[in-house]
């Protein structure tokens, strides 16, 4: 089941993007860097056999020359009496756990059959239980032409049997398939020469990722361990996963994910104990098997089911999960009282929330209990959420925190609105977390790019830069920031709100760092493509004469080393807009004595104030700025030098600092 909802993709957002497009036409990113796929299996049906394909159950599968996508032959399936029947091929010998494969097959209905929709799926069997993973969803097919079904699949479970199959969403039409391929692109190594997100952000908050089984094996696990301090099971703790049938709990996937986190010293956010989605129908079915109506008896029954569910799920992970999204998405700002008319609400009023928080607190007394929602930046929704949390806390309901999902996009919302969101909840005395952040490259449902245009990736990087700069300023309020996924190869936005390839995270489909990653870690390394709206060179204000404040004490050269230390500083304003600018500062050791740990100092001539700095730590007192090295660039050896970047505010003039010192040694400036 998918979450279906619309979010306000404002006219403004669309206009903004259109304006960008008008000055800088969107061009697809060249795919030249991608390695060639390796084909593991192909079925062309040219040799007059079924090439290992068979029927799923009772229908008939035969080689055919009545239609062919290429060559002369295809595989025809006839005699279907159920929509799930169709051609299937064992893949156990070909498909390795943890590798991401592309499956592709061409489908055409037999002559005379009415149009329908076809699907491509994988069946996996473990210990006698079958599970079905959809690779390509219901796609229109006809008898008039071939349609390619192409999708990706990663086997993340141990299996006894595994097969791909084609079926129809409805009807029993006879169908041809042809030119099936199973291929994979050899994985690129996980980068080890870039800073770990968890370390870059360590002083501010733990950084987390939503994960499923594919993320805890192979390269995904390596990437996850390296960069993240926290995980959220994306689906494995939801009600439909943990208690699909009343009283029958299933924790195989959740145990594996939580166990991985525990083994690797990661925190776990428990998501989610109650929601209006992904909740099995039995929860709201009365004793006679009918959908519940709001009666006293049904209220009692549904609350006791809620209590039982929470006792079991929270009880299982009591020690290892220290934060729970107890309630997910309970606000509807279009209601006068702000409360979503979910089945929970219809049957119990606010009592479902009172019960859920009370029981969760009883079972996990030290866990932080959250109410989590999307669009909490939208003022109307934010304020309704505030009112609910204030009311519940006033009643003594143990709500400890507010989770902001932050499913946002490259043009929405503004930083100011996001800051207002955070500021609003401060007086309540609750913790806040960013719980499901992703930044879609799309601003309306009609857009679709097979691979993300470079300009959009750059815009996205600037959004990540600005949003993380904001979060870091609110690090006293924000106790964790979680991204809704690990890398762009596996994101829920590929199917929500419409099916298309999205790229909302910090790592690309090959697990490599994107410009967005650098937006968080070091914005000076965002793809330097000049943007027409940003001036690439320092602006024309005349450089005033240097006024170094706080006379530095020169470090005697030679201390702690044999040679002489001298330095050069290059200072460039890389972008400027009304009230703000971005600058890059490069420090080079031009002497022959390396420094271990360094401090760079300068004074601004025009009252500029730094708001964020990367690749170092900073202090600003009045006009004087002191920048210390970051953990990874403390060694300043003769040679290429280190780069620092910052964002700052200015007004009136934005003159360059005239003098720089490293550890008290004046540097040459250019
Ligand atoms: C999404 C999952 O990522 C998908 O795999 C699933 O099909 C639907 O739910 N808000 C939430 C999350 O609170 O639970 C949703 O997760 C995304 C929106």
């Amino acid at each position: 089941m998918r979450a279906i909802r619309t979010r306000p993709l404002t006219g403004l957002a669309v206009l903004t993007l259109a304006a960008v497009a008008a000055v800088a036409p969107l061009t697809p990113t060249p795919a030249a860097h991608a390695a060639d796929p390796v084909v593991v299996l192909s079925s062309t049906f040219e040799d007059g056999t079924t090439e290992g394909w068979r029927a799923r159950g009772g229908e008939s599968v035969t080689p055919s020359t009545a239609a062919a996508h290429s060559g002369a032959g295809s595989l025809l399936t006839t005699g279907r009496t159920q929509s799930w029947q169709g051609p299937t091929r064992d893949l156990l010998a070909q498909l390795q756990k943890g590798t991401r494969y592309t499956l592709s097959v061409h489908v055409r209905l037999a002559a005379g059959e009415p149009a329908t929709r076809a699907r491509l799926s994988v069946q996996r069997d473990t210990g006698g239980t079958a599970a079905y993973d959809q690779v390509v969803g219901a796609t229109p097919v006809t008898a008039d032409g071939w349609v390619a079904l192409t999708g990706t699949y990663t086997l993340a479970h141990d299996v006894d049997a595994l097969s791909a199959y084609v079926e129809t969403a409805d009807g029993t039409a006879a169908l041809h398939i042809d030119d099936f391929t199973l291929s994979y692109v050899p994985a690129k190594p996980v980068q080890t020469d870039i800073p770990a997100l968890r370390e870059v952000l360590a002083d501010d908050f733990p950084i987390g990722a939503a994960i499923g089984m594919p993320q805890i094996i192979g390269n995904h696990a390596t990437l996850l361990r390296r960069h993240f301090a926290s995980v959220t099971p994306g689906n494995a703790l939801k009600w439909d996963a943990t208690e699909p049938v009343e009283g029958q709990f299933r924790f195989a996937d959740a145990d594996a994910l939580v166990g991985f986190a525990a083994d690797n010293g990661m925190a776990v956010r428990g998501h989610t104990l109650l929601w209006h989605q992904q909740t099995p129908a039995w929860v709201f079915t009365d004793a006679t098997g009918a959908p519940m109506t709001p009666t006293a008896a049904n209220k009692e029954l549904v609350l006791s089911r809620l209590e039982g569910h929470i006792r079991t799920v929270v009880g299982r992970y009591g020690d290892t999960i220290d934060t729970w999204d107890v309630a997910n998405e309970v606000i509807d700002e279009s209601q006068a009282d702000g409360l979503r008319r979910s089945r929970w609400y219809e049957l119990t009023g606010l009592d479902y929330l009172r019960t859920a928080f009370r029981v969760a607190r009883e079972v996990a007394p030290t866990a932080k209990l959250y109410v989590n929602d999307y669009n909490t930046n939208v003022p109307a929704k934010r304020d309704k959420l505030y009112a609910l949390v204030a009311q519940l806390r006033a009643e003594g309901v143990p709500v400890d925190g507010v989770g902001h999902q932050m499913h946002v996009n490259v043009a929405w919302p503004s930083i100011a609105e996001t800051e207002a969101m955070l500021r609003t909840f401060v007086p309540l005395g609750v913790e806040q977390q960013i719980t499901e952040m992703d930044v879609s490259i799309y601003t309306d449902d009609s857009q679709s790019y097979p691979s993300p245009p470079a300009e959009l990736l750059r815009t996205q990087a600037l959004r990540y830069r600005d949003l993380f700069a904001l979060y870091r300023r609110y690090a006293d309020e924000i106790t964790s920031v979680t991204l809704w996924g690990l890398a762009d190869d596996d994101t829920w936005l590929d199917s929500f709100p419409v099916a298309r390839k999205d790229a909302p995270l910090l790592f690309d489909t090959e697990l490599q760092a994107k410009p967005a990653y650098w937006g968080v870690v070091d914005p000076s390394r965002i793809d330097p493509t000049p943007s027409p709206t940003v001036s690439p060179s320092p602006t024309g204000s005349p450089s005033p004469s240097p006024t170094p404040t706080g006379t530095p004490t020169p470090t005697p050269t030679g201390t702690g080393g044999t040679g002489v230390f001298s330095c050069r500083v290059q200072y460039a304003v890389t972008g400027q807009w009304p009230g703000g600018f971005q600058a890059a500062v490069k420090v080079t050791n031009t002497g022959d004595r390396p420094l271990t740990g360094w401090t760079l100092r300068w004074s601004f001539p025009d009252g500029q104030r730094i708001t964020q700095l990367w690749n170092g730590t900073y202090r600003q007192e009045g006009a004087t700025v002191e920048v210390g090295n970051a953990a990874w660039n403390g060694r300043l050896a003769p040679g290429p030098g280190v780069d620092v970047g910052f964002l700052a505010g200015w007004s009136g003039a934005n003159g360059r600092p005239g003098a720089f010192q490293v550890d008290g040694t004046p540097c040459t400036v250019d």
Side-chain angles (χ1 to χ4, degrees), residues 1-3 5 234-235 238 271-272 275 278 328-329 372 374 405 407 436 484 492:
M1 198 189 326
R2 297 247 167 242
R5 63 165 183 254
N235 287 304
K238 289 173 180 170
H271 175 85
T272 172
W275 193 19
Q278 291 179 262
N328 197 31
E329 303 184 349
N372 187 48
Y374 64 98
Q405 291 186 3
H407 293 294
E436 305 186 13
W484 204 243
W492 76 300

Side-chain angles (χ1 to χ4, degrees), residues 6-287:
T6 52
R7 80 167 68 92
L9 290 168
T10 57
L12 175 66
V14 177
L15 274 178
T16 312
L17 193 71
V20 172
V23 283
L26 296 173
T27 47
T29 313
H33 64 283
D36 289 335
V38 176
V39 176
V40 187
L41 178 70
S42 79
S43 308
T44 57
F45 306 110
E46 295 304 312
D47 67 0
T49 76
T50 64
E51 298 186 15
W53 289 75
R54 56 186 170 78
R56 290 194 82 207
E59 69 280 31
S60 147
V61 163
T62 48
S64 162
T65 50
H69 173 254
S70 68
S74 66
L75 185 75
L76 175 63
T77 305
T78 53
R80 299 173 67 232
T81 56
Q82 306 285 335
S83 63
W84 55 263
Q85 292 174 328
T88 184
R89 172 70 157 86
D90 289 344
L91 296 181
L92 189 61
Q94 285 79 18
L95 224 125
Q96 287 194 12
K97 197 176 158 191
T99 297
R100 181 164 170 263
Y101 291 88
T102 297
L103 284 76
S104 182
V105 67
H106 290 79
V107 181
R108 177 180 187 150
L109 299 184
E113 295 284 9
T116 181
R117 293 171 307 147
R119 283 197 284 250
L120 174 63
S121 304
V122 166
Q123 175 175 340
R124 57 185 159 87
D125 296 85
T126 308
T129 306
Y132 308 93
D133 299 323
Q134 186 171 286
V135 178
V136 181
T139 306
V141 285
T142 68
D144 302 329
W146 292 92
V147 172
L149 304 184
T150 303
T152 59
Y153 183 72
T154 305
L155 176 64
H157 294 79
D158 291 324
V159 290
D160 308 322
L162 190 74
S163 56
Y165 62 94
V166 174
E167 62 181 339
T168 49
D170 26 53
T172 55
L175 55 88
H176 296 268
I177 63 167
D178 201 1
D179 292 339
F180 170 88
T181 55
L182 173 72
S183 60
Y184 70 96
V185 174
K188 288 187 178 167
V190 170
Q191 293 156 296
T192 52
D193 55 351
I194 58 173
L197 287 169
R198 58 187 292 164
E199 281 161 26
V200 172
L201 298 165
D203 289 344
D204 299 307
F205 32 70
I207 178 79
I211 58 166
M213 296 297 286
Q215 279 72 42
I216 62 166
I217 46 179
N219 279 3
H220 290 83
T222 306
L223 185 72
L224 182 63
R225 273 193 212 98
R226 184 172 167 76
H227 288 284
F228 292 90
S230 170
V231 295
T232 304
N235 287 304
L237 284 168
K238 289 173 180 170
W239 199 313
D240 61 350
T242 51
E243 194 185 5
V245 177
E246 184 160 20
Q248 293 182 19
F249 288 88
R250 288 197 316 212
F251 290 113
D253 285 5
D255 284 356
L257 300 178
V258 174
F260 176 90
D263 290 348
N264 291 286
M266 297 167 165
V268 185
R269 298 192 80 259
H271 175 85
T272 172
L273 297 175
L274 79 89
W275 193 19
H276 60 283
Q277 307 255 12
Q278 291 179 262
T279 306
W282 68 260
V283 178
F284 306 114
T285 302
D286 70 16

Side-chain angles (χ1 to χ4, degrees), residues 471-513:
Y471 301 158
R472 293 172 92 164
R473 279 199 283 124
Y474 279 79
D476 288 346
E477 314 295 333
I478 297 177
T479 53
S480 107
V481 174
T482 294
L483 303 170
W484 204 243
L486 173 65
D488 287 345
D489 66 321
D490 191 354
T491 161
W492 76 300
L493 293 178
D494 284 353
S495 53
F496 179 88
V498 296
R500 61 187 166 190
K501 185 66 204 132
D502 207 334
L505 298 164
L506 302 183
F507 298 96
D508 67 16
T509 56
E510 297 179 286
L511 311 192
Q512 307 297 298

